[in-house]
Amino acid sequence: MTYRRAAIPALIGGLLLTALLWWAGASAQALHLPGTTGVIGSQNAADLERWLAPWSYDPPSSVQVGTEVSGGIGDTAWTDSTRYLALYATALQIRFFAVFAFFVPVALLLVRRLPPVHGRTTAALLAVWAWGLVAGTLAVTVSAPWLIASHGHGSYRFLPQVASTVSAGRQVLVATALVAAAGTVLAARVTAKGAGPLPQAVVPARAARLAATAGSATIALSLVVLSYQPVAAALQTVPPDGGLLAEPGELLRQWLLLGSWAGPAGAPLGGWLLHRVGDVLLLAIVWWALRRLPGLLTRATVPAMAIGAVCATVLGLLASQLLRVTLDGADLRWGLLSLFAGVGDGVPAALTCGLVAGVAAAITLRVAVGRAETIAATAAVQVAAPH
């Protein structure tokens, strides 16, 4: 598919995702209407408000109150409050623009390399959905400094505040990114009509398995080794060097850890093994996706494999988290929505490790395919040689 044909669905998906997030943020006001808590419950209303707040232009009370400074004139507090409100509005503007800017280029790559035709529709839908979640997380991250400054204490524990902000609004992204992905794929199916036959790579099965194993090993490093609680604690307590970047530990956790591992001590072995099923599911999805990806792509380039690995890791995370929601479904003490509070966690780590896994898989694939072609060419020469 040409860039011109792929650009239209990518732009439609980006506009749809941005509009849906803006609409979700604007809907937060409806939770304050009389009778809302009586219909959905006070705990569920509080959870929804917390999920929608990162996308709402309605600032929290901590932003609305100005800070009095010594030696100021009578309207100093009002002036400071206006500045904080302006910073908050700037943060939201950057956030919505960044969602569009991060989503469109990669959606363009996905639609071009993984066009939703000839058995690729489901794969394209899942990949674009996963990238929508990543784009939203990146948008929250790049807008975090303005949002932190709008609360009036931007220099205090800056990196831990960024780490806390990065994970905000992810539950809303799961739903809105799925709708945007559906719109992107439908538009891509329309623009793909008349594009002619789209190539589909033929990859040796052994080479694809080797590439999938190499990529999955990288994901397993974060899931099993880095996420092991003693190792995670060591990352959390990185020795401070002083200054603005004195506390990188919490931010480092956000970008490296896919889960949380602990030994079975203090808990029944059966329950511990049951919760590890989600981790096994994640690795199985990543391996299977990387095994199929080279054959689904029109051309298995390094950028396409890297983005595909990121999307596969995000999908594996969502599947493992939804499995844990099912396992914990009997505990409704804190409301139904509280079960989904952890959905969308680990996306920064999925981006970081997925990129490395995709590059490793692409390099392994090229080496394995090149070796297979060399062996086949040598065998053909030997067969053709006169005896």
Side-chain angles (χ1 to χ4, degrees):
M1 184 182 291
T2 62
Y3 280 109
R4 182 174 59 84
R5 289 178 179 270
I8 297 174
L11 290 172
I12 291 175
L15 291 172
L16 186 57
L17 178 60
T18 306
L20 286 172
L21 289 172
W22 179 87
W23 172 80
S27 301
Q29 286 288 343
L31 298 173
H32 299 284
L33 295 176
T36 301
T37 56
V39 174
I40 64 175
S42 58
Q43 182 61 44
N44 289 334
D47 288 337
L48 281 175
E49 185 175 7
R50 188 174 65 255
W51 295 357
L52 296 175
W55 307 101
S56 174
Y57 269 91
D58 185 30
S61 58
S62 58
V63 178
Q64 293 174 353
V65 179
T67 304
E68 185 71 45
V69 295
S70 60
I73 58 177
D75 61 346
T76 300
W78 172 261
T79 302
D80 287 347
S81 178
T82 303
R83 291 173 179 172
Y84 293 143
L85 289 172
L87 280 172
Y88 185 86
T90 301
L92 267 294
Q93 291 168 3
I94 293 173
R95 182 165 296 181
F96 285 113
F97 175 78
V99 167
F100 182 83
F102 281 121
F103 179 85
V104 171
V106 177
L108 174 63
L109 174 66
L110 288 172
V111 170
R112 188 165 185 262
R113 294 299 181 198
L114 192 61
V117 292
H118 304 306
R120 297 163 167 158
T121 302
T122 302
L125 175 65
L126 293 176
V128 177
W129 177 29
W131 183 254
L133 188 55
V134 176
T137 302
L138 290 174
V140 171
T141 304
V142 299
S143 62
W146 287 267
L147 193 69
I148 293 170
S150 70
H151 291 80
H153 44 78
S155 61
Y156 174 71
R157 289 177 55 83
F158 178 72
L159 289 181
Q161 288 186 78
V162 172
S164 177
T165 305
V166 164
S167 61
R170 60 187 183 276
Q171 298 89 352
V172 178
L173 277 169
V174 174
T176 54
L178 179 58
V179 178
T184 303
V185 168
L186 288 175
R189 286 183 66 87
V190 173
T191 58
K193 292 180 179 179
L198 297 172
Q200 190 164 354
V202 178
V203 181
R206 185 173 181 274
R209 287 195 296 268
L210 286 174
T213 302
S216 301
T218 304
I219 303 300
L221 175 66
S222 176
L223 182 64
V224 179
V225 179
L226 296 179
S227 296
Y228 185 56
Q229 285 188 356
V231 179
L235 291 174
Q236 180 74 37
T237 56
V238 174
D241 297 325
L244 182 62
L245 305 179
E247 296 170 333
E250 293 182 36
L251 185 59
L252 195 62
R253 282 174 61 92
Q254 287 283 348
W255 290 93
L256 291 180
L257 306 188
L258 285 171
S260 177
W261 271 79
L269 180 60
W272 181 83
L273 290 175
L274 191 62
H275 277 76
R276 298 282 75 82
V277 172
D279 300 322
V280 175
L281 177 63
L282 191 159
L283 289 176
I285 289 175
V286 170
W287 188 91
W288 180 80
L290 291 179
R291 165 68 178 81
R292 294 288 310 278
L293 188 61
L296 291 173
L297 294 170
T298 58
R299 184 182 175 192
T301 61
V302 173
M305 289 290 293
I307 295 300
V310 171
C311 296
T313 309
V314 173
L315 292 173
L317 273 176
L318 291 176
S320 65
Q321 290 161 0
L322 291 176
L323 177 62
R324 289 194 175 95
V325 168
T326 303
L327 296 176
D328 298 337
D331 187 5
L332 295 175
R333 290 175 298 173
W334 305 108
L336 179 62
L337 292 180
S338 63
L339 294 175
F340 296 90
V343 174
D345 278 343
V347 173
L351 173 63
T352 306
C353 300
L355 288 174
V356 178
V359 172
I363 293 175
T364 304
L365 181 68
R366 286 189 176 183
V367 172
V369 170
R371 184 177 301 173
E373 291 176 348
T374 301
I375 293 174
T378 303
V381 169
Q382 291 176 350
V383 170
H387 296 284

